[in-house]
Amino acid sequence: MELTDPHTLVLDEATSLLDPSTARHAERAMAAARADRTVISIAHRLHTAHDAGRVAVMEAGRIVELGSPADLIAADGPYAALGRSWHGA
């Protein structure tokens, strides 16, 4: 494995300074670079987590939920509450 072809990518707030529409375009453009890799994406925006295979929700430095976005919505816990507040509900 070369440094220029890593197995794992860590993206820490990679799109935090972009508006949501531009961030989605950037995420789509990065899709090819993420293919066949493990990606750990640290984000505060829910749209970043939407396409994740697994999401870890943290509160006060502790993981309070772990699962797919759909499973976390169905569980109606902190992730679902964030989604409702994000959408103004």
Side-chain angles (χ1 to χ4, degrees), residues 2-81:
E2 291 183 34
L3 186 60
T4 59
D5 188 21
H7 176 268
T8 303
L9 297 174
V10 178
L11 305 174
D12 188 358
E13 295 289 347
T15 59
S16 65
L17 296 177
L18 303 176
D19 65 85
S21 177
T22 303
R24 289 303 277 173
H25 289 294
E27 288 166 358
R28 286 187 196 112
M30 287 189 291
R34 295 188 319 248
D36 300 323
R37 290 177 172 80
T38 298
V39 178
I40 299 169
S41 183
I42 301 164
H44 289 87
R45 292 181 175 181
L46 288 181
H47 67 73
T48 302
H50 178 73
D51 296 327
R54 189 166 22 167
V55 173
V57 179
M58 297 186 71
E59 291 180 349
R62 300 195 117 151
I63 295 175
V64 296
E65 283 190 309
L66 183 64
S68 72
D71 289 345
L72 296 181
I73 292 290
D76 200 30
Y79 182 84

